[in-house]
Amino acid sequence: MRVYIEDTDAGGIVYYVNYLKYMERARTELVRSLGYDKPAMPREGLLLVVHSAQIQYRRSARLDDTLRATAAIGKLGRAGITFEQKIWRDGEIICQGVVKVACVAENNRKPCALPASIYSALKAACKE
């Protein structure tokens, strides 16, 4: 992805929260690559929500940089997924993080198990 002016602060440096947006896109594309588009979960009355994020910023990205965001499943539980994520620029990791996502019921926001089909697809892609 390219860094646009809207991603940066007045000094042309990527605003820190935008790295989380890049990571969100990588997680979405990983799940999409397994055959599940964004609307798949709401149709089942479930949501995937971020429980926590631990981010380490190593280098600043700047206006017009080309970045690559990656996501891998580090740990899979019945009601949650831990993603290991990295943002790269020219072969160097400039930001990395661990993002925990929980599966919750749409109606009451309480944790619940991932559907069996989704769990199986995620398990096949898991690093464990």
PDB file of all heavy atoms in Angstrom, residues 13-44:
ATOM      1  N   ILE A  13       4.983  12.326   8.308  1.00  0.00           N
ATOM      2  CA  ILE A  13       5.225  11.026   8.948  1.00  0.00           C
ATOM      3  C   ILE A  13       3.880  10.367   9.228  1.00  0.00           C
ATOM      4  O   ILE A  13       2.931  11.032   9.668  1.00  0.00           O
ATOM      5  CB  ILE A  13       6.029  11.203  10.257  1.00  0.00           C
ATOM      6  CG1 ILE A  13       7.416  11.772   9.927  1.00  0.00           C
ATOM      7  CG2 ILE A  13       6.138   9.896  11.023  1.00  0.00           C
ATOM      8  CD1 ILE A  13       8.218  12.177  11.142  1.00  0.00           C
ATOM      9  N   VAL A  14       3.795   9.055   8.992  1.00  0.00           N
ATOM     10  CA  VAL A  14       2.538   8.340   9.216  1.00  0.00           C
ATOM     11  C   VAL A  14       2.120   8.483  10.679  1.00  0.00           C
ATOM     12  O   VAL A  14       2.894   8.210  11.594  1.00  0.00           O
ATOM     13  CB  VAL A  14       2.661   6.847   8.816  1.00  0.00           C
ATOM     14  CG1 VAL A  14       1.431   6.065   9.266  1.00  0.00           C
ATOM     15  CG2 VAL A  14       2.848   6.719   7.313  1.00  0.00           C
ATOM     16  N   TYR A  15       0.902   8.937  10.870  1.00  0.00           N
ATOM     17  CA  TYR A  15       0.310   9.082  12.195  1.00  0.00           C
ATOM     18  C   TYR A  15       0.192   7.692  12.817  1.00  0.00           C
ATOM     19  O   TYR A  15      -0.267   6.749  12.165  1.00  0.00           O
ATOM     20  CB  TYR A  15      -1.047   9.764  12.062  1.00  0.00           C
ATOM     21  CG  TYR A  15      -1.729  10.094  13.345  1.00  0.00           C
ATOM     22  CD1 TYR A  15      -1.144  10.948  14.269  1.00  0.00           C
ATOM     23  CD2 TYR A  15      -2.971   9.559  13.641  1.00  0.00           C
ATOM     24  CE1 TYR A  15      -1.775  11.259  15.460  1.00  0.00           C
ATOM     25  CE2 TYR A  15      -3.616   9.866  14.823  1.00  0.00           C
ATOM     26  CZ  TYR A  15      -3.015  10.721  15.735  1.00  0.00           C
ATOM     27  OH  TYR A  15      -3.647  11.020  16.906  1.00  0.00           O
ATOM     28  N   TYR A  16       0.584   7.539  14.074  1.00  0.00           N
ATOM     29  CA  TYR A  16       0.749   6.230  14.707  1.00  0.00           C
ATOM     30  C   TYR A  16      -0.481   5.332  14.619  1.00  0.00           C
ATOM     31  O   TYR A  16      -0.366   4.122  14.435  1.00  0.00           O
ATOM     32  CB  TYR A  16       1.194   6.382  16.163  1.00  0.00           C
ATOM     33  CG  TYR A  16       0.096   6.798  17.109  1.00  0.00           C
ATOM     34  CD1 TYR A  16      -0.606   5.845  17.847  1.00  0.00           C
ATOM     35  CD2 TYR A  16      -0.254   8.136  17.255  1.00  0.00           C
ATOM     36  CE1 TYR A  16      -1.611   6.224  18.710  1.00  0.00           C
ATOM     37  CE2 TYR A  16      -1.256   8.517  18.111  1.00  0.00           C
ATOM     38  CZ  TYR A  16      -1.935   7.564  18.841  1.00  0.00           C
ATOM     39  OH  TYR A  16      -2.940   7.931  19.686  1.00  0.00           O
ATOM     40  N   VAL A  17      -1.677   5.872  14.725  1.00  0.00           N
ATOM     41  CA  VAL A  17      -2.877   5.040  14.718  1.00  0.00           C
ATOM     42  C   VAL A  17      -3.130   4.410  13.346  1.00  0.00           C
ATOM     43  O   VAL A  17      -3.793   3.373  13.245  1.00  0.00           O
ATOM     44  CB  VAL A  17      -4.098   5.834  15.233  1.00  0.00           C
ATOM     45  CG1 VAL A  17      -4.614   6.792  14.184  1.00  0.00           C
ATOM     46  CG2 VAL A  17      -5.204   4.903  15.695  1.00  0.00           C
ATOM     47  N   ASN A  18      -2.584   4.986  12.305  1.00  0.00           N
ATOM     48  CA  ASN A  18      -2.804   4.439  10.968  1.00  0.00           C
ATOM     49  C   ASN A  18      -2.147   3.083  10.772  1.00  0.00           C
ATOM     50  O   ASN A  18      -2.587   2.294   9.943  1.00  0.00           O
ATOM     51  CB  ASN A  18      -2.369   5.439   9.900  1.00  0.00           C
ATOM     52  CG  ASN A  18      -3.356   6.586   9.796  1.00  0.00           C
ATOM     53  OD1 ASN A  18      -4.552   6.400   9.994  1.00  0.00           O
ATOM     54  ND2 ASN A  18      -2.863   7.768   9.513  1.00  0.00           N
ATOM     55  N   TYR A  19      -1.122   2.774  11.536  1.00  0.00           N
ATOM     56  CA  TYR A  19      -0.523   1.440  11.459  1.00  0.00           C
ATOM     57  C   TYR A  19      -1.556   0.380  11.856  1.00  0.00           C
ATOM     58  O   TYR A  19      -1.571  -0.719  11.304  1.00  0.00           O
ATOM     59  CB  TYR A  19       0.717   1.333  12.347  1.00  0.00           C
ATOM     60  CG  TYR A  19       1.851   2.221  11.901  1.00  0.00           C
ATOM     61  CD1 TYR A  19       2.000   3.496  12.421  1.00  0.00           C
ATOM     62  CD2 TYR A  19       2.768   1.781  10.951  1.00  0.00           C
ATOM     63  CE1 TYR A  19       3.045   4.309  12.012  1.00  0.00           C
ATOM     64  CE2 TYR A  19       3.816   2.593  10.538  1.00  0.00           C
ATOM     65  CZ  TYR A  19       3.940   3.857  11.070  1.00  0.00           C
ATOM     66  OH  TYR A  19       4.973   4.658  10.662  1.00  0.00           O
ATOM     67  N   LEU A  20      -2.413   0.720  12.811  1.00  0.00           N
ATOM     68  CA  LEU A  20      -3.484  -0.206  13.200  1.00  0.00           C
ATOM     69  C   LEU A  20      -4.468  -0.407  12.055  1.00  0.00           C
ATOM     70  O   LEU A  20      -4.983  -1.512  11.860  1.00  0.00           O
ATOM     71  CB  LEU A  20      -4.212   0.309  14.444  1.00  0.00           C
ATOM     72  CG  LEU A  20      -3.390   0.308  15.726  1.00  0.00           C
ATOM     73  CD1 LEU A  20      -4.120   1.064  16.829  1.00  0.00           C
ATOM     74  CD2 LEU A  20      -3.078  -1.103  16.165  1.00  0.00           C
ATOM     75  N   LYS A  21      -4.720   0.634  11.284  1.00  0.00           N
ATOM     76  CA  LYS A  21      -5.591   0.505  10.111  1.00  0.00           C
ATOM     77  C   LYS A  21      -4.959  -0.421   9.069  1.00  0.00           C
ATOM     78  O   LYS A  21      -5.643  -1.249   8.470  1.00  0.00           O
ATOM     79  CB  LYS A  21      -5.861   1.876   9.485  1.00  0.00           C
ATOM     80  CG  LYS A  21      -6.709   2.789  10.336  1.00  0.00           C
ATOM     81  CD  LYS A  21      -6.897   4.118   9.637  1.00  0.00           C
ATOM     82  CE  LYS A  21      -7.708   5.070  10.475  1.00  0.00           C
ATOM     83  NZ  LYS A  21      -7.931   6.357   9.785  1.00  0.00           N
ATOM     84  N   TYR A  22      -3.657  -0.275   8.863  1.00  0.00           N
ATOM     85  CA  TYR A  22      -2.967  -1.145   7.913  1.00  0.00           C
ATOM     86  C   TYR A  22      -3.034  -2.597   8.379  1.00  0.00           C
ATOM     87  O   TYR A  22      -3.224  -3.516   7.584  1.00  0.00           O
ATOM     88  CB  TYR A  22      -1.504  -0.731   7.748  1.00  0.00           C
ATOM     89  CG  TYR A  22      -1.281   0.699   7.303  1.00  0.00           C
ATOM     90  CD1 TYR A  22      -0.116   1.362   7.646  1.00  0.00           C
ATOM     91  CD2 TYR A  22      -2.218   1.403   6.538  1.00  0.00           C
ATOM     92  CE1 TYR A  22       0.128   2.670   7.233  1.00  0.00           C
ATOM     93  CE2 TYR A  22      -1.995   2.712   6.137  1.00  0.00           C
ATOM     94  CZ  TYR A  22      -0.813   3.339   6.489  1.00  0.00           C
ATOM     95  OH  TYR A  22      -0.570   4.625   6.090  1.00  0.00           O
ATOM     96  N   MET A  23      -2.893  -2.806   9.688  1.00  0.00           N
ATOM     97  CA  MET A  23      -2.978  -4.161  10.237  1.00  0.00           C
ATOM     98  C   MET A  23      -4.383  -4.731  10.081  1.00  0.00           C
ATOM     99  O   MET A  23      -4.558  -5.908   9.782  1.00  0.00           O
ATOM    100  CB  MET A  23      -2.536  -4.175  11.701  1.00  0.00           C
ATOM    101  CG  MET A  23      -1.057  -3.968  11.874  1.00  0.00           C
ATOM    102  SD  MET A  23      -0.603  -3.983  13.626  1.00  0.00           S
ATOM    103  CE  MET A  23       1.167  -3.794  13.505  1.00  0.00           C
ATOM    104  N   GLU A  24      -5.393  -3.890  10.258  1.00  0.00           N
ATOM    105  CA  GLU A  24      -6.788  -4.325  10.066  1.00  0.00           C
ATOM    106  C   GLU A  24      -6.996  -4.822   8.640  1.00  0.00           C
ATOM    107  O   GLU A  24      -7.609  -5.855   8.405  1.00  0.00           O
ATOM    108  CB  GLU A  24      -7.750  -3.167  10.357  1.00  0.00           C
ATOM    109  CG  GLU A  24      -9.189  -3.425   9.963  1.00  0.00           C
ATOM    110  CD  GLU A  24      -9.920  -4.384  10.883  1.00  0.00           C
ATOM    111  OE1 GLU A  24      -9.474  -4.563  12.032  1.00  0.00           O
ATOM    112  OE2 GLU A  24     -10.922  -4.967  10.443  1.00  0.00           O
ATOM    113  N   ARG A  25      -6.454  -4.092   7.680  1.00  0.00           N
ATOM    114  CA  ARG A  25      -6.580  -4.506   6.282  1.00  0.00           C
ATOM    115  C   ARG A  25      -5.911  -5.857   6.051  1.00  0.00           C
ATOM    116  O   ARG A  25      -6.454  -6.709   5.336  1.00  0.00           O
ATOM    117  CB  ARG A  25      -5.962  -3.451   5.363  1.00  0.00           C
ATOM    118  CG  ARG A  25      -6.728  -2.161   5.359  1.00  0.00           C
ATOM    119  CD  ARG A  25      -6.031  -1.106   4.539  1.00  0.00           C
ATOM    120  NE  ARG A  25      -6.606   0.200   4.824  1.00  0.00           N
ATOM    121  CZ  ARG A  25      -6.044   1.339   4.481  1.00  0.00           C
ATOM    122  NH1 ARG A  25      -4.907   1.345   3.821  1.00  0.00           N
ATOM    123  NH2 ARG A  25      -6.618   2.477   4.784  1.00  0.00           N
ATOM    124  N   ALA A  26      -4.751  -6.059   6.648  1.00  0.00           N
ATOM    125  CA  ALA A  26      -4.042  -7.340   6.475  1.00  0.00           C
ATOM    126  C   ALA A  26      -4.833  -8.490   7.088  1.00  0.00           C
ATOM    127  O   ALA A  26      -4.920  -9.577   6.503  1.00  0.00           O
ATOM    128  CB  ALA A  26      -2.645  -7.262   7.082  1.00  0.00           C
ATOM    129  N   ARG A  27      -5.433  -8.273   8.271  1.00  0.00           N
ATOM    130  CA  ARG A  27      -6.248  -9.329   8.890  1.00  0.00           C
ATOM    131  C   ARG A  27      -7.461  -9.637   8.028  1.00  0.00           C
ATOM    132  O   ARG A  27      -7.814 -10.797   7.816  1.00  0.00           O
ATOM    133  CB  ARG A  27      -6.710  -8.926  10.298  1.00  0.00           C
ATOM    134  CG  ARG A  27      -5.611  -8.919  11.317  1.00  0.00           C
ATOM    135  CD  ARG A  27      -6.146  -8.798  12.733  1.00  0.00           C
ATOM    136  NE  ARG A  27      -7.072  -7.700  12.954  1.00  0.00           N
ATOM    137  CZ  ARG A  27      -6.724  -6.454  13.227  1.00  0.00           C
ATOM    138  NH1 ARG A  27      -5.451  -6.105  13.285  1.00  0.00           N
ATOM    139  NH2 ARG A  27      -7.648  -5.531  13.447  1.00  0.00           N
ATOM    140  N   THR A  28      -8.096  -8.598   7.517  1.00  0.00           N
ATOM    141  CA  THR A  28      -9.267  -8.781   6.663  1.00  0.00           C
ATOM    142  C   THR A  28      -8.907  -9.577   5.417  1.00  0.00           C
ATOM    143  O   THR A  28      -9.627 -10.496   5.023  1.00  0.00           O
ATOM    144  CB  THR A  28      -9.866  -7.411   6.269  1.00  0.00           C
ATOM    145  OG1 THR A  28     -10.288  -6.758   7.463  1.00  0.00           O
ATOM    146  CG2 THR A  28     -11.045  -7.574   5.333  1.00  0.00           C
ATOM    147  N   GLU A  29      -7.783  -9.255   4.798  1.00  0.00           N
ATOM    148  CA  GLU A  29      -7.367  -9.966   3.585  1.00  0.00           C
ATOM    149  C   GLU A  29      -6.976 -11.411   3.890  1.00  0.00           C
ATOM    150  O   GLU A  29      -7.223 -12.305   3.068  1.00  0.00           O
ATOM    151  CB  GLU A  29      -6.233  -9.221   2.884  1.00  0.00           C
ATOM    152  CG  GLU A  29      -6.665  -7.898   2.279  1.00  0.00           C
ATOM    153  CD  GLU A  29      -7.842  -8.012   1.316  1.00  0.00           C
ATOM    154  OE1 GLU A  29      -7.911  -8.991   0.529  1.00  0.00           O
ATOM    155  OE2 GLU A  29      -8.711  -7.126   1.337  1.00  0.00           O
ATOM    156  N   LEU A  30      -6.388 -11.668   5.048  1.00  0.00           N
ATOM    157  CA  LEU A  30      -6.069 -13.044   5.431  1.00  0.00           C
ATOM    158  C   LEU A  30      -7.347 -13.872   5.547  1.00  0.00           C
ATOM    159  O   LEU A  30      -7.457 -14.967   4.980  1.00  0.00           O
ATOM    160  CB  LEU A  30      -5.294 -13.084   6.748  1.00  0.00           C
ATOM    161  CG  LEU A  30      -5.042 -14.478   7.333  1.00  0.00           C
ATOM    162  CD1 LEU A  30      -4.207 -15.335   6.383  1.00  0.00           C
ATOM    163  CD2 LEU A  30      -4.382 -14.380   8.689  1.00  0.00           C
ATOM    164  N   VAL A  31      -8.340 -13.338   6.249  1.00  0.00           N
ATOM    165  CA  VAL A  31      -9.610 -14.054   6.412  1.00  0.00           C
ATOM    166  C   VAL A  31     -10.306 -14.209   5.053  1.00  0.00           C
ATOM    167  O   VAL A  31     -10.852 -15.260   4.737  1.00  0.00           O
ATOM    168  CB  VAL A  31     -10.511 -13.341   7.448  1.00  0.00           C
ATOM    169  CG1 VAL A  31     -11.891 -13.956   7.496  1.00  0.00           C
ATOM    170  CG2 VAL A  31      -9.859 -13.384   8.832  1.00  0.00           C
ATOM    171  N   ARG A  32     -10.225 -13.182   4.222  1.00  0.00           N
ATOM    172  CA  ARG A  32     -10.811 -13.249   2.876  1.00  0.00           C
ATOM    173  C   ARG A  32     -10.125 -14.344   2.052  1.00  0.00           C
ATOM    174  O   ARG A  32     -10.780 -15.071   1.311  1.00  0.00           O
ATOM    175  CB  ARG A  32     -10.695 -11.900   2.172  1.00  0.00           C
ATOM    176  CG  ARG A  32     -11.398 -11.834   0.830  1.00  0.00           C
ATOM    177  CD  ARG A  32     -11.178 -10.493   0.119  1.00  0.00           C
ATOM    178  NE  ARG A  32     -11.355  -9.322   0.954  1.00  0.00           N
ATOM    179  CZ  ARG A  32     -12.534  -8.744   1.221  1.00  0.00           C
ATOM    180  NH1 ARG A  32     -13.636  -9.242   0.714  1.00  0.00           N
ATOM    181  NH2 ARG A  32     -12.589  -7.671   1.972  1.00  0.00           N
ATOM    182  N   SER A  33      -8.810 -14.486   2.200  1.00  0.00           N
ATOM    183  CA  SER A  33      -8.076 -15.518   1.447  1.00  0.00           C
ATOM    184  C   SER A  33      -8.493 -16.929   1.853  1.00  0.00           C
ATOM    185  O   SER A  33      -8.290 -17.874   1.105  1.00  0.00           O
ATOM    186  CB  SER A  33      -6.564 -15.346   1.632  1.00  0.00           C
ATOM    187  OG  SER A  33      -6.143 -15.799   2.908  1.00  0.00           O
ATOM    188  N   LEU A  34      -9.106 -17.056   3.021  1.00  0.00           N
ATOM    189  CA  LEU A  34      -9.596 -18.350   3.498  1.00  0.00           C
ATOM    190  C   LEU A  34     -11.043 -18.600   3.063  1.00  0.00           C
ATOM    191  O   LEU A  34     -11.636 -19.611   3.415  1.00  0.00           O
ATOM    192  CB  LEU A  34      -9.481 -18.432   5.020  1.00  0.00           C
ATOM    193  CG  LEU A  34      -8.070 -18.298   5.576  1.00  0.00           C
ATOM    194  CD1 LEU A  34      -8.092 -18.248   7.095  1.00  0.00           C
ATOM    195  CD2 LEU A  34      -7.181 -19.436   5.088  1.00  0.00           C
ATOM    196  N   GLY A  35     -11.602 -17.642   2.315  1.00  0.00           N
ATOM    197  CA  GLY A  35     -12.948 -17.825   1.775  1.00  0.00           C
ATOM    198  C   GLY A  35     -14.049 -17.132   2.545  1.00  0.00           C
ATOM    199  O   GLY A  35     -15.230 -17.385   2.303  1.00  0.00           O
ATOM    200  N   TYR A  36     -13.691 -16.221   3.447  1.00  0.00           N
ATOM    201  CA  TYR A  36     -14.695 -15.524   4.251  1.00  0.00           C
ATOM    202  C   TYR A  36     -14.572 -14.028   4.042  1.00  0.00           C
ATOM    203  O   TYR A  36     -13.578 -13.429   4.428  1.00  0.00           O
ATOM    204  CB  TYR A  36     -14.540 -15.861   5.736  1.00  0.00           C
ATOM    205  CG  TYR A  36     -14.781 -17.325   5.996  1.00  0.00           C
ATOM    206  CD1 TYR A  36     -13.730 -18.231   6.029  1.00  0.00           C
ATOM    207  CD2 TYR A  36     -16.070 -17.802   6.149  1.00  0.00           C
ATOM    208  CE1 TYR A  36     -13.957 -19.581   6.222  1.00  0.00           C
ATOM    209  CE2 TYR A  36     -16.310 -19.147   6.344  1.00  0.00           C
ATOM    210  CZ  TYR A  36     -15.249 -20.029   6.384  1.00  0.00           C
ATOM    211  OH  TYR A  36     -15.480 -21.358   6.562  1.00  0.00           O
ATOM    212  N   ASP A  37     -15.610 -13.448   3.430  1.00  0.00           N
ATOM    213  CA  ASP A  37     -15.578 -12.003   3.273  1.00  0.00           C
ATOM    214  C   ASP A  37     -16.137 -11.358   4.537  1.00  0.00           C
ATOM    215  O   ASP A  37     -16.651 -12.028   5.424  1.00  0.00           O
ATOM    216  CB  ASP A  37     -16.323 -11.561   2.012  1.00  0.00           C
ATOM    217  CG  ASP A  37     -17.791 -11.954   2.014  1.00  0.00           C
ATOM    218  OD1 ASP A  37     -18.279 -12.483   3.025  1.00  0.00           O
ATOM    219  OD2 ASP A  37     -18.457 -11.723   0.995  1.00  0.00           O
ATOM    220  N   LYS A  38     -16.016 -10.043   4.620  1.00  0.00           N
ATOM    221  CA  LYS A  38     -16.439  -9.322   5.823  1.00  0.00           C
ATOM    222  C   LYS A  38     -17.869  -9.614   6.264  1.00  0.00           C
ATOM    223  O   LYS A  38     -18.112  -9.806   7.441  1.00  0.00           O
ATOM    224  CB  LYS A  38     -16.267  -7.821   5.622  1.00  0.00           C
ATOM    225  CG  LYS A  38     -14.947  -7.269   6.094  1.00  0.00           C
ATOM    226  CD  LYS A  38     -14.745  -7.538   7.538  1.00  0.00           C
ATOM    227  CE  LYS A  38     -13.935  -6.450   8.193  1.00  0.00           C
ATOM    228  NZ  LYS A  38     -13.507  -6.781   9.509  1.00  0.00           N
ATOM    229  N   PRO A  39     -18.852  -9.657   5.356  1.00  0.00           N
ATOM    230  CA  PRO A  39     -20.223  -9.885   5.817  1.00  0.00           C
ATOM    231  C   PRO A  39     -20.505 -11.306   6.318  1.00  0.00           C
ATOM    232  O   PRO A  39     -21.576 -11.572   6.837  1.00  0.00           O
ATOM    233  CB  PRO A  39     -21.073  -9.601   4.569  1.00  0.00           C
ATOM    234  CG  PRO A  39     -20.194  -8.843   3.658  1.00  0.00           C
ATOM    235  CD  PRO A  39     -18.795  -9.274   3.967  1.00  0.00           C
ATOM    236  N   ALA A  40     -19.570 -12.221   6.182  1.00  0.00           N
ATOM    237  CA  ALA A  40     -19.843 -13.614   6.557  1.00  0.00           C
ATOM    238  C   ALA A  40     -20.237 -13.754   8.015  1.00  0.00           C
ATOM    239  O   ALA A  40     -21.169 -14.466   8.348  1.00  0.00           O
ATOM    240  CB  ALA A  40     -18.626 -14.495   6.248  1.00  0.00           C
ATOM    241  N   MET A  41     -19.546 -13.109   8.910  1.00  0.00           N
ATOM    242  CA  MET A  41     -19.830 -13.248  10.330  1.00  0.00           C
ATOM    243  C   MET A  41     -21.149 -12.595  10.743  1.00  0.00           C
ATOM    244  O   MET A  41     -21.925 -13.210  11.463  1.00  0.00           O
ATOM    245  CB  MET A  41     -18.668 -12.703  11.163  1.00  0.00           C
ATOM    246  CG  MET A  41     -17.375 -13.476  10.977  1.00  0.00           C
ATOM    247  SD  MET A  41     -17.447 -15.147  11.630  1.00  0.00           S
ATOM    248  CE  MET A  41     -17.191 -14.800  13.348  1.00  0.00           C
ATOM    249  N   PRO A  42     -21.441 -11.366  10.313  1.00  0.00           N
ATOM    250  CA  PRO A  42     -22.723 -10.770  10.715  1.00  0.00           C
ATOM    251  C   PRO A  42     -23.927 -11.584  10.271  1.00  0.00           C
ATOM    252  O   PRO A  42     -24.939 -11.616  10.967  1.00  0.00           O
ATOM    253  CB  PRO A  42     -22.696  -9.393  10.050  1.00  0.00           C
ATOM    254  CG  PRO A  42     -21.250  -9.062   9.964  1.00  0.00           C
ATOM    255  CD  PRO A  42     -20.575 -10.384   9.682  1.00  0.00           C
ATOM    256  N   ARG A  43     -23.821 -12.278   9.144  1.00  0.00           N
ATOM    257  CA  ARG A  43     -24.946 -13.114   8.707  1.00  0.00           C
ATOM    258  C   ARG A  43     -25.209 -14.233   9.705  1.00  0.00           C
ATOM    259  O   ARG A  43     -26.319 -14.735   9.790  1.00  0.00           O
ATOM    260  CB  ARG A  43     -24.657 -13.712   7.322  1.00  0.00           C
ATOM    261  CG  ARG A  43     -24.942 -12.747   6.188  1.00  0.00           C
ATOM    262  CD  ARG A  43     -25.033 -13.466   4.866  1.00  0.00           C
ATOM    263  NE  ARG A  43     -23.800 -14.134   4.499  1.00  0.00           N
ATOM    264  CZ  ARG A  43     -22.848 -13.610   3.732  1.00  0.00           C
ATOM    265  NH1 ARG A  43     -22.980 -12.401   3.255  1.00  0.00           N
ATOM    266  NH2 ARG A  43     -21.764 -14.290   3.451  1.00  0.00           N
ATOM    267  N   GLU A  44     -24.179 -14.599  10.439  1.00  0.00           N
ATOM    268  CA  GLU A  44     -24.332 -15.657  11.446  1.00  0.00           C
ATOM    269  C   GLU A  44     -24.605 -15.074  12.829  1.00  0.00           C
ATOM    270  O   GLU A  44     -24.618 -15.801  13.817  1.00  0.00           O
ATOM    271  CB  GLU A  44     -23.070 -16.523  11.462  1.00  0.00           C
ATOM    272  CG  GLU A  44     -22.859 -17.238  10.130  1.00  0.00           C
ATOM    273  CD  GLU A  44     -21.660 -18.162  10.148  1.00  0.00           C
ATOM    274  OE1 GLU A  44     -21.334 -18.712  11.218  1.00  0.00           O
ATOM    275  OE2 GLU A  44     -21.064 -18.352   9.089  1.00  0.00           O
TER     276      GLU A  44
END
